[in-house]
Amino acid sequence: MKPFTGSFTQQEALDDEVVAAAAQVLRSGRLHRYNTAAGELSKASELEQAYAAYQGARYCLACASGGYAMAIALRAAGLKAGESVLTNGFTLAPVPGAIASAGGRPVLVEITEDLVIDLDDLDRKARSTGARFLLLSNMRGHLADMDRLADLVRRHSMILIEDCAHTMGAAWNGRKSGNFGLAGCFSTQTYKHLNSGEGGLLTSDDPDFMARAILLSGSYMLYERHGAAPSPEVFERIRLETPNMSGRMDNLRAAILLPQLARLDDSIARWNERYRAVEDGLEQVEGLVLPRRPEAELYVGSSLQFRLPGLSRSGAEAFVGACKAHGVELKWFGASDPVAFTSNHHSWRYVDPQLLPETDRVLSTLFDMRLPLTFTLEECRHIASVIAHCARGLSPEAA
Ligand SMILES: *Cc1c(COP(=O)(O)O)cnc(C)c1O
């Protein structure tokens, strides 16, 4: 088997249009979002308008990161110190981190074998805790049955905030991910669907919520200079009660995001071609299970997960090692020590320890890889053949 030599962390270069947009902001010297010439709409405001239009939301705030968007969303939604916030037991560390930074207590909900929040466990925990908030993480781009979830949220009178770091551009039954509750939170960190190094976007249709979020983000009372914000009267009522927690986006990052946003749907089609190329190569591998992708889900295949149920710890280690020897670097979510990133709830020691046997069982044999757009379809097929080869080579005692 020929080794794979591509890099799973190499994103596409930003093209000349993006470089020109950045150069224009740099030459102007007006990098701060409120530093505008007479009659000028700042790039940050322009991005807010463009993203609100893309998302089909009334309002949008551009901010410092996806994690920051979630933290101020919880505050703007009225989270009080010590309150419980339900969230997925399997997500990336910025999610429980955002809850902690907003003063909340994460209550972790089990996931299913398809890697989405377990709606029965959500129902039980909503009832037993009386939590007012659900910070739903659409982890690795997998959407739960969003119609059933929205119904459950309504029945428990909960406030839903969606973490859409991996579902920017995705939809359920034609409705965009992020539009199912009070707010959607997006990330423009390098490995997400738009790349500005760091950055976040928060969307909502609720004027009071968005006015509070804008004030929290550090608007210096210049909220009239926002591109997709509620009208000034909404701010009048709350402007002196809302603390400033600076986390604005600057014009440089907004400028490099605008041309990328214009091509997002095209990028999504390219990610999905790559996803399907790997998926095709893995479908026939005995003992390997791919997550189900429901008909209603329009996904963005920017990463791919699979399970090898029944594999022991040492078997999983051997499998990861064999793939790595062939140049395919997989993440294994069952690893006892977090490597490069932390997605296992046992490593979030600031959170009250919680029993999640089903989540632990799923994670113990779950593997993951990114699919950057720098990979060709041929390379994707190659990756699949390496994984298939290593999975077939697992010794019977490892399985
Ligand atoms: C990347 C990510 C975020 C947000 O991350 P930031 O680095 O704060 O922009 C949130 N949730 C998940 C699941 C993520 O992977």
Side-chain angles (χ1 to χ4, degrees):
M1 168 100 345
K2 184 161 67 82
F4 178 71
T5 53
S7 163
F8 286 84
T9 53
Q10 183 58 58
Q11 299 294 67
E12 281 189 309
L14 298 176
D15 66 14
D16 291 346
E17 189 188 1
V18 174
V19 173
Q24 197 185 4
V25 172
L26 291 172
R27 289 201 187 93
S28 79
R30 294 188 293 279
L31 271 70
H32 195 282
R33 67 167 299 158
Y34 301 130
N35 182 202
T36 48
E40 182 183 39
L41 182 71
S42 74
K43 285 292 167 190
S45 287
E46 208 183 306
L47 175 67
E48 288 165 341
Q49 290 179 351
Y51 197 75
Y54 178 81
Q55 185 64 25
R58 279 173 82 184
Y59 310 119
C60 176
L61 169 68
C63 61
S65 70
Y68 180 82
M70 292 187 279
I72 61 164
L74 287 166
R75 283 185 194 272
L79 178 73
K80 302 211 171 59
E83 256 195 288
S84 295
V85 179
L86 295 162
T87 194
N88 306 47
F90 169 51
T91 181
L92 197 75
V95 179
I99 297 171
S101 89
R105 276 187 44 236
V107 175
L108 307 176
V109 180
E110 295 267 34
I111 59 157
T112 70
E113 293 187 338
D114 290 316
L115 313 182
V116 298
I117 197 162
D118 179 337
L119 296 179
D120 297 326
D121 195 43
L122 176 62
D123 192 20
R124 269 192 298 277
K125 284 177 178 155
R127 194 170 304 128
S128 67
T129 64
R132 292 195 298 145
F133 299 91
L134 168 61
L135 178 55
L136 173 72
S137 182
N138 300 309
M139 179 64 171
R140 284 298 186 256
H142 297 277
L143 289 172
D145 179 336
M146 292 304 292
D147 299 319
R148 220 190 120 199
L149 184 138
D151 183 57
L152 213 149
V153 162
R154 221 172 297 118
R155 278 194 286 114
H156 289 287
S157 305
M158 285 192 291
I159 296 169
L160 169 64
I161 295 168
E162 289 176 81
D163 164 27
C164 305
H166 302 166
T167 53
M168 177 187 273
W172 180 267
N173 272 332
R175 188 162 167 194
K176 277 223 166 88
S177 178
N179 292 353
F180 285 84
L182 176 64
C185 305
F186 304 83
S187 170
T188 62
Q189 185 252 59
T190 292
Y191 298 116
K192 313 301 161 88
H193 301 169
L194 298 176
N195 177 8
S196 61
E198 300 274 10
L201 295 160
L202 174 65
T203 58
S204 180
D205 287 339
D206 185 301
D208 287 286
F209 167 84
M210 189 51 84
R212 280 193 293 274
I214 289 171
L215 292 166
L216 284 164
S217 78
S219 65
Y220 306 136
M221 301 294 162
L222 294 169
Y223 41 79
E224 288 184 58
R225 297 207 208 155
H226 275 254
S231 59
E233 313 83 75
V234 183
F235 289 88
E236 284 305 319
R237 278 182 273 126
I238 52 178
R239 54 186 231 139
L240 302 179
E241 303 164 2
T242 309
N244 176 325
M245 301 184 170
S246 292
R248 295 165 299 270
M249 181 177 283
D250 55 83
N251 288 331
L252 182 57
R253 283 184 287 171
I256 68 176
L257 288 169
L258 276 158
Q260 296 180 59
L261 176 58
R263 293 193 291 266
L264 178 56
D265 284 334
D266 177 56
S267 303
I268 290 173
R270 293 168 60 221
W271 264 306
N272 287 349
E273 280 178 338
R274 284 156 181 76
Y275 185 94
R276 283 170 198 140
V278 179
E279 191 184 45
D280 277 353
L282 296 182
E283 233 143 32
Q284 299 311 320
V285 180
E286 213 187 295
L288 186 151
V289 183
L290 291 153
R292 243 175 356 110
R293 310 254 39 172
E295 196 75 28
E297 181 194 38
L298 190 156
Y299 61 86
V300 183
S302 52
S303 70
L304 185 143
Q305 296 70 43
F306 62 88
R307 293 184 300 120
L308 290 167
L311 201 63
S312 64
R313 285 197 83 74
S314 57
E317 276 161 13
F319 171 68
V320 169
C323 289
K324 191 171 178 188
H326 288 87
V328 173
E329 282 207 46
L330 297 173
K331 303 275 182 191
W332 172 40
F333 289 113
S336 45
D337 254 337
V339 186
F341 69 119
T342 54
S343 287
N344 191 308
H345 65 100
H346 296 289
S347 53
W348 309 331
R349 301 247 173 99
Y350 54 88
V351 172
D352 300 333
Q354 296 170 46
L355 286 178
L356 298 169
E358 189 54 23
T359 301
D360 290 347
R361 185 182 70 77
V362 172
L363 295 188
S364 68
T365 61
L366 179 64
F367 303 90
D368 167 85
M369 72 192 117
R370 291 196 188 103
L371 293 173
L373 293 175
T374 45
F375 287 173
T376 63
L377 295 180
E378 189 48 46
E379 287 178 305
C380 292
R381 287 188 279 269
H382 187 182
I383 291 166
S385 67
V386 166
I387 293 170
H389 172 80
C390 296
R392 287 193 186 105
L394 285 167
S395 63
E397 60 272 26

